[in-house]
Amino acid sequence: SQQGEEDPQALSIQEGENATMNCSYKTSINNLQWYRQNSGRGLVHLILIRSNEREKHSGRLRVTLDTSKKSSSLLITASRAADTASYFCATASGTALIFGKGTTLSVSS
Amino acid sequence: DGGITQSPKYLFRKEGQNVTLSCEQNLNHDAMYWYRQDPGQGLRLIYYSQIVNDFQKGDIAEGYSVSREKKESFPLTVTSAQKNPTAFYLCASSTGTLQETQYFGPGTRLLVL
């Protein structure tokens, strides 16, 4: 049961540029989470934003949540080659986390 | 060193064979999960367990089985009934509720011979 959908599917930028990824979902949520996955590895939790929050920061990451539009965005500022990975949003609704298909970010030096 | 371990890293299955993937955590988490990831896809939930000796089916449980005899361990068996088992399998854990932050293991890649 697909809930979150990331956009774009793939993103290529240069080091130092900002990267923005979006996530749209369909039903009401309790929280929304962003995870990173390096190729062939497990997922790493980046940030959790609750339904009553609008914006959250963690280092170079900024997440916004617009519950009226059922959407979230993840901004990575001053990207580095090490940010190259797939990024997934996961929505918490009902009894489980539901993951989208991810955005693949490629940062070239 | 706290975390989740999965073994083996790669696993090969022959036709008609059952194989078991190991997942162990020392984070003292109550809840544990198994996900399947296919190329270019998101994660799909196979099974989850919120407490020892209890587990629930996820979205794609057919052809899989689990047990939760200890808090630290949540092994997944891929049975011969699973006709398309080639995938990347991820185990995760969380403190309790299913909606909080999940911590993932490094994954097991299952290939069919």
Side-chain angles (χ1 to χ4, degrees):
Chain A
S1 47
Q2 194 81 30
Q3 162 81 303
E5 217 173 284
E6 293 90 344
D7 172 63
Q9 288 187 0
L11 182 60
S12 293
I13 59 174
Q14 299 284 322
E15 259 192 331
E17 293 180 339
N18 295 344
T20 299
M21 290 158 254
N22 303 296
C23 172
S24 59
Y25 56 92
K26 295 173 184 168
T27 63
S28 62
I29 59 171
N30 296 314
N31 69 60
L32 186 144
Q33 303 175 35
W34 286 92
Y35 289 80
R36 185 188 74 227
Q37 183 181 34
N38 289 86
S39 182
R41 309 290 291 273
L43 275 69
V44 174
H45 179 260
L46 296 175
I47 202 161
L48 181 155
I49 187 165
R50 300 197 184 277
S51 59
N52 61 352
E53 297 175 308
R54 292 295 167 258
E55 188 170 311
K56 212 161 180 182
H57 296 255
S58 177
R60 292 184 296 112
L61 306 180
R62 173 180 166 243
V63 168
T64 61
L65 179 64
D66 187 335
T67 52
S68 66
K69 294 182 179 177
K70 291 188 170 59
S71 69
S72 172
S73 67
L74 169 67
L75 168 68
I76 305 173
T77 59
S79 296
R80 306 165 182 168
D83 294 326
T84 294
S86 292
Y87 292 81
F88 295 89
C89 70
T91 48
S93 176
T95 58
L97 274 187
I98 302 175
F99 289 82
K101 293 185 179 181
T103 291
T104 299
L105 173 65
S106 177
V107 182
S108 52
S109 52
Chain B
D1 218 7
I4 301 182
T5 57
Q6 290 186 241
S7 63
K9 189 172 181 178
Y10 295 97
L11 186 56
F12 298 91
R13 193 191 92 163
K14 295 179 183 176
E15 287 285 337
Q17 190 180 38
N18 292 355
V19 292
T20 298
L21 286 61
S22 169
C23 177
E24 305 275 333
Q25 55 99 359
N26 61 4
L27 300 168
N28 200 32
H29 285 170
D30 287 313
M32 296 187 75
Y33 316 81
W34 274 106
Y35 293 92
R36 170 180 171 140
Q37 186 178 31
D38 292 283
Q41 301 293 313
L43 278 63
R44 292 185 289 169
L45 184 63
I46 305 173
Y47 269 99
Y48 64 95
S49 168
Q50 289 185 273
I51 198 167
V52 174
N53 292 323
D54 185 54
F55 49 81
Q56 306 295 328
K57 292 181 179 180
D59 298 323
I60 55 165
E62 187 174 347
Y64 300 98
S65 66
V66 293
S67 63
R68 186 86 188 274
E69 296 175 3
K70 298 187 300 182
K71 187 175 184 177
E72 302 79 19
S73 179
F74 191 40
L76 173 75
T77 296
V78 183
T79 74
S80 57
Q82 173 48 248
K83 297 306 178 189
N84 183 22
T86 298
F88 190 48
Y89 290 87
L90 288 158
C91 179
S93 69
S94 68
T95 53
T97 72
L98 301 177
Q99 300 180 17
E100 294 302 313
T101 300
Q102 294 187 11
Y103 297 83
F104 284 81
T108 292
R109 190 164 299 279
L110 177 60
L111 300 163
V112 176
L113 292 176

